[in-house]
């Protein structure tokens, strides 16, 4: 993260290239309404609370009391709101004096809608929480922008070719808040932390420029076991 965002370094390898191709498929496709569900692609999102911004691969907007039906035009208010969201950030959400976003779910045009962010990944599910945290951060951004609640999202893995539902639990939300806080500290400090070599480094495109030092705390047998399990 620090190498990319602080030092502006990037190195491509087969894995990053495959990921880019997968994302191009969703980025290149247009938003559409299918069977009454609005499928929005490459939706810019942000959160003042988390201090984050980014782009959601796909967000599905399912109307209340949904029954599949032929594609029809969306209610005007929803259409307007979705158009507003796809404009560049900086004009989107109302904030209070403290920068805290007003949360008034009853007044949200998306009240009672089911909103589901879907994040596309090249490989297969990871052992760590990185993908779930990323998805949760997207959902929390959407909740803040739309003044609504999003209880679950979905992860699509290229190797499995199917979506996996992720429950956005309190625990995952706390993990996401802590990750966002750590990121803020990192960006404010402006210093790339010392990296320690781990099994995941073997597939990392940044390995040649990162040059992590050997782990001091992991002995050789544990390191080899991690390597095999990875
Ligand atoms: S080489 Fe390892 S420590 Fe360095 S950026 Fe990649 S995964 Fe992180």
């Amino acid at each position: 993260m620090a190498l990319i965002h602080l030092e502006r370094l990037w190195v491509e390898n087969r894995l990053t290239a495959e990921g880019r191709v997968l994302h191009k498929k969703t980025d290149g496709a247009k938003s559409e309404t299918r069977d009454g569900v609005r499928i929005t692609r490459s939706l810019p999102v942000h959160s003042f609370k988390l201090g984050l911004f980014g782009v959601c691969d796909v967000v599905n907007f399912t109307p209340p009391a949904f029954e599949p039906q032929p594609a029809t035009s969306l209610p005007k208010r929803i259409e307007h709101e979705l158009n507003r969201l796809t404009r560049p950030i900086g004009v989107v959400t109302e904030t209070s004096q403290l920068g805290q976003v007003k949360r008034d779910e009853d007044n949200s045009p998306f009240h009672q809608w089911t909103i589901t962010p879907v994040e596309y990944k090249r490989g297969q599910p990871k052992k760590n929480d990185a993908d779930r945290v990323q998805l949760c951060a997207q959902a929390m951004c959407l909740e803040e922008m739309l003044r609504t609640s999003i209880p679950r999202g979905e992860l699509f893995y290229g190797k499995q070719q199917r979506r996996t539902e992720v429950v956005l639990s309190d625990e995952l939300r706390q993990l996401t808040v802590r990750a966002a806080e750590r990121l803020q500290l990192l960006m404010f400090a402006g210093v790339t932390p010392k990296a320690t070599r781990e099994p995941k480094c073997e597939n990392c495109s940044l390995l040649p420029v990162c040059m992590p030092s050997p782990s001091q705390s992991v002995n050789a047998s544990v390191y080899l076991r991690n390597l095999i399990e990875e």
Side-chain angles (χ1 to χ4, degrees):
M1 190 70 80
L3 290 176
I4 295 171
H5 295 289
L6 287 178
E7 303 196 25
R8 307 268 172 196
L9 291 173
W10 179 250
V11 180
E12 191 88 308
N13 69 5
R14 179 180 60 80
L15 300 176
T16 56
E18 285 177 5
R20 198 160 34 77
V21 169
L22 180 68
H23 275 99
K24 238 185 190 167
K25 280 187 191 164
T26 60
D27 292 350
K30 286 192 173 151
S31 299
E32 58 181 318
T33 303
R34 201 187 294 168
D35 295 335
V37 178
R38 182 65 178 172
I39 303 164
T40 308
R41 299 190 169 89
S42 305
L43 181 68
V45 293
H46 67 274
S47 163
F48 294 114
K49 285 187 210 166
L50 294 175
L52 296 177
F53 68 91
V55 177
C56 292
D57 289 338
V58 170
V59 183
N60 291 336
F61 293 82
T62 308
F66 173 70
E67 287 175 16
Q69 51 189 257
T72 53
S73 58
L74 292 168
K76 279 274 174 285
R77 193 171 175 216
I78 299 298
E79 189 97 59
H80 169 77
E81 200 68 21
L82 287 173
N83 288 338
R84 192 172 66 88
L85 288 175
T86 48
R87 289 208 297 268
I89 62 169
V91 291
V92 182
T93 338
E94 53 181 323
T95 57
S96 73
Q97 282 178 325
L98 294 172
Q100 296 291 315
V101 173
K102 290 175 191 166
R103 183 94 173 256
D104 184 359
E105 294 186 9
D106 289 341
N107 284 330
S108 167
F110 295 100
H111 182 52
Q112 294 185 336
W113 280 56
T114 304
I115 298 170
T116 313
V118 186
E119 172 65 17
Y120 282 72
K121 294 292 175 194
R122 184 200 62 83
Q124 52 195 349
K126 300 183 178 72
K127 288 177 184 165
N128 61 39
D129 287 316
D131 295 344
R132 284 183 290 277
V133 166
Q134 183 186 0
L135 182 71
C136 187
Q138 293 173 0
M140 291 172 78
C141 287
L142 287 164
E143 286 180 333
E144 187 177 312
M145 292 166 70
L146 304 175
R147 307 186 305 279
T148 190
S149 299
I150 300 178
R152 20 186 88 75
E154 293 176 358
L155 288 168
F156 175 93
Y157 286 99
K159 281 222 166 126
Q160 296 181 327
Q161 286 295 306
R162 64 179 163 83
R163 293 181 179 185
T164 306
E165 186 181 272
V166 178
V167 175
L168 306 173
S169 63
D170 287 346
E171 192 186 10
L172 182 57
R173 287 167 187 272
Q174 281 164 19
L175 207 58
T176 304
V177 170
R178 285 204 297 275
E181 285 170 353
R182 280 203 304 276
L183 181 62
Q184 297 295 332
L185 286 174
L186 187 73
M187 297 306 282
F188 278 125
V191 178
T192 303
K194 204 162 178 268
T196 303
R197 189 156 182 145
E198 298 175 37
K200 66 179 180 184
C201 300
E202 301 312 311
N203 286 328
C204 178
S205 68
L206 294 169
L207 182 59
V209 290
C210 176
M211 295 186 288
S213 53
S215 170
Q216 303 298 313
S217 55
V218 180
N219 66 36
S221 61
V222 173
Y223 178 80
L224 278 174
R225 198 181 63 228
N226 287 343
L227 202 56
I228 290 164
E229 286 174 356
E230 192 72 8

